[in-house]
Structures are given as C-alpha cells and as structure tokens.
Amino acid sequence: MQQHDNLIGGEWQKGNSYSPNLNPSNLGDTIAEYTQGDAAHVDAAVAAATAALPAWSTSGIQMRSDALDKIGNEILARKEELGTLLAREEGKTKAEGIGEATRAGQIFKFFAGECLRLSGEIVPSVRPNIGVEITREPVGVVGLITPWNFPIAIPAWKIAPALAFGNCVVMKPADLVPGSAWALAEIISRSGIPAGVFNLVMGRGSVIGDALVNHPGIHAISFTGSVGVGRRIAVQCATNHKKVQLEMGGKNPQIVLDDADLAQAVELSVQSAFYSTGQRCTAASRLIVTDGIYPKFIEAMKARMAKIKVGDALAQGTDIGPVSSQSQLEQDLSYIEIGKSEGAVLAAGGERLKLDTDGFYMAPALFSESGAGMRINREEIFGPVASVIRVKGYDEALATANDTEFGLSAGIATTSLKYATHFKRHSQAGMVMVNLPTAGVDYHVPFGGRKGSSYGPREQGKYAQEFFTTVKTAYTLA
Ligand code: NAP
C-alpha cells in the first residue's frame, strides 16, 4: 500500500502512524495510507514557515505569480486524474470531481493575476508637507483548516490567496479525505516555491487543528467546517490575538413561487438539494413552496427523484454517489426518523441502499408537509435530505427563508421581476440565486454567508485580500 507523508520545510516527513483512506463507494478499496502527525509536527511546520517568511513576504510578485500559474496549469492538465481521485475518496461523482479539480486550477490562475494587482493608496495628510501611504502587507504564517466535502477546491481557495499575498502556510486537510490535498501539496512542492513557504500536516482536527489554532507562531486561522468547531476556534483565536476567518454550515432555503416555471423549479431544487449527495454547505434543504404550485411541485419532484441514479461515484451514469462516511450516513438516517417523528411526511427516498459494492449509499429523501419549526428544518443535516414547507405567498416565503440561524445561500424560483428584486434585497443570506440552484458559485467573486454561517472577511475573488493581508499606514515628512 502506498504511504504518503507530511510536507514540512520542503521535506516529506513521516508522522507517528498511517491511516487508510477508504473509498465510500466501495469499502474494499483503500486509496492509500496517509500519515498522522501530532503537535510536534505542527511545531516543526510552523518553525519552517517562520524561517521562510522574511524572504517570501518580500519576494518579487512575478516569482509568486509564475509559481501560482504553474500550479494552476498542472492541476488543469491533470484534472481528470485529480477529479477521479477526489471522487474515489469523497464520493461525489467523477464529473463533479473533475469540475472541482478544474475550479481549483482556475483559482490558482486567478490568484496568479491577483498578486500582480495588489495596490494601495497615497493620500495627503491633513497636516502640511506630509504624505500618507496606505499599503497591504502579508499577515504572516497562516494556518488553514479544511472540511471533507470539497477536498481540493477549499484547500485551493485558501492556499492560493495566502501565497499570492506573501504569507507562509501550514495546511491541515480533513482527516477523512487527505488524498486530494496531498496531491495538491505535491504539485506545490515542485512549483518553485521555496522550502518552508507551504507545509502540509495531516492528522486529526482535535490534535493537528487544535495545535495550529493555539500555536503562538500562527498569526491567522482560516477555517471551513461545522458551526460547533468554528465557534470554538473563534474563541481560541480571540484569546490568542489571531486573525480568524470562519466559513461554516447552512440551512439554505429555496423558494418556489406560484408563478415559477415548474420544470425549472424542480430541476434546480433537485440540483440544489441532492447533487454532491447534498453534502455542500450551499445545498438547499428547505424547499419553501407557495400554495398554488405546492401539489404540482410535490408530484413533479417525486417523478424527477425516481429518475435519479444513486451509485458508485466512478461509474458511468451515476447522478449521486454515496454519503462520505459511516458517521455521516448514520446522521442522515437519524434525521429521517426525526422528521417522521415530528410529523413530516416522507414523500420519497430516505432508505439505505444495498448496491453491488459495499458503500454508504442512501436514496435521496424528500419530506412534504413539514413545519418551519421542525428540527429537520432548523438543523444542518448535511446529506441528501430536503423538506418542503408550504406557505401562503411571497411574504411568508421570505419570512420563512430568513427564519434561521444560518445565512449562507438562498434561492428563489419565480418569473416575477418584482419578487426576484425584492428577494435579492431582503434575503438575509450572503449569496442569493434567482432561478439558479443555491449551490454552484464562480471562483472570481466573493463567497460567504451571514449570521451563523460565516465570521470574518469573505473568501475568494479580490475580497480575499481582506483576510490574507494587513493594512499599514505610513507617514513621510516631505
Ligand atoms: P468539521 O468537523 O468542523 O471539520 C472541519 C475541519 O476542522 C477538519 O479538518 C477537522 O479535522 C477540523 N477540526 C475538528 N476539530 C477541530 C478542533 N478542535 N480544532 C481545530 N480543527 C478541528 O466539519 P466537516 O464535517 O469536515 O465539514 C462539514 C461542515 O463544513 C458542514 O457544517 C458544512 O456546512 C461546512 N462547510 C462550510 C463551507 C462554507 O464555505 N461555508 C464549505 C464547506 C463545508 P478532522 O475532520 O480531520 O478531524
């Protein structure tokens, strides 16, 4: 079995043990073994990053741009291979895996340009004969902690801006899916970026993640994951004076109004709720449907869902792969029981599926007649489970959509310009979609939420510089 190690100070270094990376479509298939580090490996990685920082943070932007462009080109050239690895370890379909790998490559290429565009301001002082320069500088050594559901795109959208703006990195990928992040680290290690600028330490969050968050040599933490872990990290970062950026969960609403194009509304609801096995922070799990279209919508959803093919992520024709892990599958199935016990009607799916290979397969589930206050409509399930809430009209739909502790993405299906415009203005989500799925975003514009979904500056696009740089104001007497 192939074994993969941490990247620390430009060297591949063993941790204390190795852990197998299993294929959730076929538990008999082990992808490779990945090393498990501890706090000592974090110490070594932070020391390497700290040593590399003075030269890297003042390095020429052409060199940084070339390296990022090279990384992006290699990812794009190998998107089929990387996307297949991703699908094999995470369980999204091969097409989705290739799409995610493509996005990772595009992100690196975008930030190859972005590091050339970083600018500041020169303004006159209110005092005579004094000039003021406002510039952006690197934050320092940044710790990046990522979840399992986007094993290459999320590492990419944190690593690329961190490096573009002159920071050194210690990256901790999700223990469940280290393969794609390791492959990315291997590409970065050959990109011409000096040793120590980028480090990868694999292992458990409670060990490696915790050591990173509490390390005095780390200046900032960018985290994507669950609300519970994120809130704890926020407190630890505040206590230790670290800059922090958190992207967390969602309970995203998809409104369908009476005037919607039914076929389009059904298609985008199915895409939003169930594709990528519903394991997207931007997945829609609350389908808020007005009275007039409600019966037709339920019937059309059931008919469309009957055509969804759940199967091996790598098999041709699979629409939806397996759930990523045993514990996630147990969580998804437990919410089916919770929904039923709360009085919602299980209109379709929701059962564990036995297929040719031993994997974590589940039929996508739709609840109808669900109440906005039910746990299935308030708590993030993070699987292929959606529930339909019936409302009287647009005003109630909007109020229901906003009645959540989360605020990541929100969608509306309507042919009315009036309602679409009102919803864009009054939705309390960070990202709003009109006649589009709640999931599926571009790589060159800001990504992030409001309320309990996010904390700190936005990720991606030119907005990424807010987190990965710090502002300096310099005065000069003429
Ligand atoms: P998670 O359990 O919070 O884990 C996220 C990362 O944090 C993993 O690398 C994890 O390590 C690490 N971690 C765990 N405990 C830690 C600790 N005490 N200190 C520091 N790090 C720690 O989340 P997940 O289950 O991987 O991902 C699913 C969640 O991510 C969902 O809530 C989803 O909505 C959210 N998500 C949000 C976005 C967004 O942009 N808003 C995007 C994608 C996903 P290990 O797992 O390796 O042990």
Side-chain angles (χ1 to χ4, degrees):
M1 180 60 58
Q2 258 196 324
Q3 293 185 324
H4 295 301
D5 293 324
N6 290 327
L7 179 64
I8 299 176
E11 306 281 335
W12 295 103
Q13 297 189 16
K14 287 186 191 337
N16 303 326
S17 59
Y18 288 92
S19 149
N21 185 3
L22 298 181
N23 176 351
S25 297
N26 177 3
L27 299 176
D29 175 31
T30 301
I31 294 151
E33 290 185 338
Y34 293 83
T35 205
Q36 295 268 314
D38 63 20
H41 301 101
V42 173
D43 282 345
V46 175
T50 305
L53 186 65
W56 181 249
S57 59
T58 54
S59 60
I61 53 175
Q62 188 63 54
M63 187 245 255
R64 283 188 228 159
S65 177
D66 289 346
L68 292 172
D69 198 51
K70 189 170 172 198
I71 296 165
N73 285 337
E74 180 165 346
I75 295 170
L76 291 176
R78 292 173 54 196
K79 66 183 181 190
E80 174 102 17
E81 172 206 340
L82 293 167
T84 304
L85 167 66
L86 199 166
R88 196 170 155 212
E89 71 169 344
E90 199 269 352
K92 62 183 67 174
T93 64
K94 188 172 162 184
E96 289 171 330
I98 293 170
E100 185 181 331
T102 303
R103 182 168 167 195
Q106 288 164 333
I107 288 168
F108 272 95
K109 290 180 74 68
F110 175 80
F111 282 104
E114 207 53 11
C115 73
L116 304 177
R117 287 188 281 267
L118 191 66
S119 63
E121 288 177 79
I122 296 180
V123 295
S125 168
V126 291
R127 291 167 285 162
N129 302 322
I130 292 178
V132 185
E133 290 164 33
I134 302 159
T135 53
R136 288 186 177 272
E137 296 185 354
V139 178
V141 178
V142 298
L144 310 179
I145 302 175
T146 55
W148 50 259
N149 66 328
F150 282 93
I152 196 163
I154 295 182
W157 83 50
K158 294 184 190 299
I159 295 167
L163 297 178
F165 300 132
N167 302 282
C168 290
V169 169
V170 181
M171 158 91 212
K172 187 218 112 47
D175 201 23
L176 187 67
V177 290
S180 302
W182 188 90
L184 177 55
E186 199 277 329
I187 293 171
I188 295 171
S189 75
R190 291 183 286 97
S191 65
I193 286 177
V197 170
F198 174 82
N199 304 275
L200 177 81
V201 185
M202 297 177 286
R204 301 215 341 252
S206 55
V207 179
I208 304 298
D210 193 64
L212 262 183
V213 170
N214 289 300
H215 200 292
I218 293 281
H219 302 106
I221 292 283
S222 178
F223 165 87
T224 300
S226 61
V227 172
V229 175
R231 282 194 183 143
R232 192 171 143 179
I233 289 177
V235 172
Q236 291 169 318
C237 286
T239 308
N240 297 318
H241 295 276
K242 292 188 200 319
K243 197 169 181 182
V244 66
Q245 173 182 58
L246 309 172
E247 282 300 338
M248 301 173 286
K251 194 71 199 168
N252 306 300
Q254 169 67 60
I255 293 176
V256 178
L257 295 185
D258 285 354
D259 65 16
D261 175 324
L262 180 65
Q264 183 188 57
V266 166
E267 196 53 40
L268 63 86
S269 297
V270 165
Q271 291 280 343
S272 301
F274 305 127
Y275 276 65
S276 298
T277 324
Q279 298 174 149
R280 295 184 284 198
C281 51
T282 48
S285 51
R286 296 183 297 140
L287 308 178
I288 301 167
V289 183
T290 47
D291 265 339
I293 199 170
Y294 182 92
K296 282 184 282 182
F297 179 78
I298 299 285
E299 287 315 306
M301 281 293 285
K302 283 177 14 190
R304 175 66 180 83
M305 287 173 70
K307 294 190 191 139
I308 294 175
K309 184 162 172 19
V310 177
D312 186 313
L314 297 179
Q316 198 115 44
T318 295
D319 295 315
I320 294 177
V323 174
S324 63
S325 68
Q326 174 80 37
S327 61
Q328 186 62 52
L329 179 65
E330 283 165 9
Q331 176 166 311
D332 298 347
L333 294 173
S334 79
Y335 273 101
I336 300 298
E337 295 312 313
I338 290 168
K340 287 197 272 188
S341 71
E342 288 179 308
V345 174
L346 187 60
E351 69 276 11
R352 172 132 202 210
L353 298 174
K354 293 269 174 235
L355 303 182
D356 292 346
T357 50
D358 182 18
F360 302 124
Y361 297 107
M362 172 179 174
L366 185 74
F367 281 109
S368 60
E369 310 299 335
S370 77
M374 291 178 180
R375 282 182 64 193
I376 52 168
N377 281 321
R378 304 214 72 82
E379 298 169 14
E380 185 183 46
I381 301 172
F382 215 55
V385 183
S387 37
V388 189
I389 306 171
R390 186 175 191 149
V391 291
K392 289 195 170 45
Y394 171 74
D395 290 345
E396 189 184 346
L398 174 66
T400 306
N402 285 338
D403 178 21
T404 167
E405 67 177 276
F406 298 105
L408 190 56
S409 183
I412 188 165
T414 180
T415 50
S416 156
L417 181 63
K418 177 179 131 188
Y419 290 134
T421 306
H422 192 272
F423 188 65
K424 280 190 277 184
R425 172 70 186 84
H426 294 279
S427 163
Q428 292 169 0
M431 296 178 288
V432 182
M433 312 289 177
V434 179
N435 295 324
L436 284 167
T438 52
V441 292
D442 291 348
Y443 63 85
H444 67 306
V445 290
F447 177 98
R450 295 184 185 177
K451 302 201 281 190
S453 290
S454 298
Y455 185 81
R458 284 281 185 271
E459 298 202 85
Q460 298 197 59
K462 68 178 179 188
Y463 290 75
Q465 62 177 252
E466 284 305 322
F467 182 74
F468 287 107
T469 64
T470 183
V471 168
K472 180 175 276 174
T473 313
Y475 293 83
T476 309
L477 179 63

